[in-house]
Amino acid sequence: MSDGGERRYGPLGTALVIIPTYNEAENIKPIVARVRSSVPEAHVLVADDNSPDGTGKIADELAVEDDHVQVLHRRGKEGLGAAYLAGFRWGIEHGYGVLVEMDADGSHQPEELPRLLTALKGADLVLGSRWVPGGRVVNWPKSREFLSRGGSTYSRLLLDVPIRDVTGGYRAFRTDTLEGLGLEEVASQGYCFQVDLARRAVKAGYHVVEVPITFVERELGDSKMSRDIVVEALWRVTAWGVGTRANRLLGRERP
């Protein structure tokens, strides 16, 4: 801490961009190329859930050609949260200073990553936000936008977190921030995984910054969004919110 009570942040260290994949053969090569062009010093970890379409094989070929690319082969499709947790553990074990979440389908534009990393110099966690001034979505139907905005608003109000885009998945963490979030207790997936990490960061007192991004709907491949993901998010967020309020009324807080 500085004399004025403000935290002094250390150097970021090397960034590891974690890209979970399942049947992203059409997207993985261009997205890795865009990351490497946008932030040449960053490393990339492709966390592939044994994709039947050969995504893992393509990623292996990229890794042979580029020593900044690594591949984590997983046994099967276990969900977004599990893939990121495995990637986080790998990145922590290998000494990276920054761990980045990024979709494989191009919806998270690698060209915006330098702005997230710049903001992280004075923060513990930076969120790429669609719902702050300057943020926007491209090629989304109104129904999808309503669902996303509504989910973020519901989560923000029920969990009392001052974040506009609680469900967004384009994020840059300092490694020591992730280590302080109790990752071993995280079991949620999909949207809910993102909400869980955000609420943990706020509750732990970390400085969270939102940077506006342009979210572009995928052009190739199939969306992984499903009714089950939405339902899980709804009931888990509701349970967290009710539990927090109950503990406050009883004069105790749950970690």
Side-chain angles (χ1 to χ4, degrees):
M1 302 288 286
S2 70
D3 293 340
E6 296 180 357
R7 176 176 172 183
R8 289 176 178 164
Y9 291 91
L12 293 178
T14 303
L16 177 70
V17 181
I18 303 168
I19 304 178
T21 56
Y22 184 78
N23 286 350
E24 296 287 358
E26 297 172 296
N27 291 312
I28 190 59
K29 185 175 288 188
I31 198 66
V32 169
R34 289 171 63 189
V35 172
R36 296 288 291 116
S37 175
S38 299
V39 189
E41 66 275 17
H43 290 211
V44 176
L45 176 67
V46 179
D48 185 65
D49 279 4
N50 197 22
S51 299
D53 71 347
T55 301
K57 182 176 183 298
I58 296 172
D60 283 337
E61 293 168 355
L62 295 174
V64 169
E65 299 168 359
D66 186 345
D67 64 3
H68 278 48
V69 179
Q70 306 291 334
V71 185
L72 178 62
H73 291 281
R74 292 163 41 76
R75 290 180 295 180
K77 188 177 181 182
E78 299 177 357
L80 182 70
Y84 271 130
L85 289 172
F88 292 158
R89 286 192 290 268
W90 192 95
I92 291 169
E93 290 170 1
H94 287 80
Y96 288 92
V98 175
L99 301 176
V100 177
E101 296 183 16
M102 181 183 291
D103 285 352
D105 60 13
S107 56
H108 299 150
Q109 299 186 85
E111 294 76 16
E112 296 185 314
L113 180 55
R115 290 195 294 111
L116 271 68
L117 296 177
T118 296
L120 192 62
K121 292 178 181 179
D124 298 296
L125 164 61
V126 173
L127 311 180
S129 179
R130 299 159 291 185
W131 313 132
V132 296
R136 66 189 184 108
V137 297
V138 176
N139 297 330
W140 260 16
K142 287 297 182 182
S143 59
R144 179 78 183 275
E145 183 173 342
F146 176 79
L147 177 64
S148 182
R149 282 184 180 272
S152 277
T153 300
Y154 182 75
S155 299
R156 182 176 72 251
L157 296 176
L158 195 63
L159 301 177
D160 193 25
V161 293
I163 298 172
R164 304 296 299 181
D165 194 350
V166 188
T167 63
Y170 195 5
R171 303 178 168 192
F173 297 84
R174 286 179 178 266
T175 296
D176 57 2
T177 301
L178 276 171
E179 291 179 310
L181 295 185
L183 294 180
E184 67 282 354
E185 300 172 3
V186 176
S188 47
Q189 301 296 324
Y191 272 156
C192 201
F193 174 77
Q194 307 298 5
V195 175
D196 197 358
L197 293 190
R199 76 180 183 97
R200 288 172 181 268
V202 170
K203 187 168 184 177
Y206 289 118
H207 181 42
V208 181
V209 172
E210 294 187 84
V211 171
I213 62 167
T214 297
F215 183 99
V216 182
E217 178 67 349
R218 70 159 64 229
E219 294 182 355
L220 300 172
D222 298 321
S223 173
K224 308 303 187 296
M225 179 58 61
S226 70
R227 180 178 180 275
D228 288 346
I229 289 174
V230 175
V231 170
E232 184 209 14
L234 180 62
W235 79 258
R236 280 190 184 270
V237 168
T238 302
W240 290 331
V242 171
T244 297
R245 282 161 172 73
N247 277 295
R248 285 175 182 169
L249 288 174
L250 293 172
R252 64 176 185 267
E253 284 284 348
R254 199 165 43 182

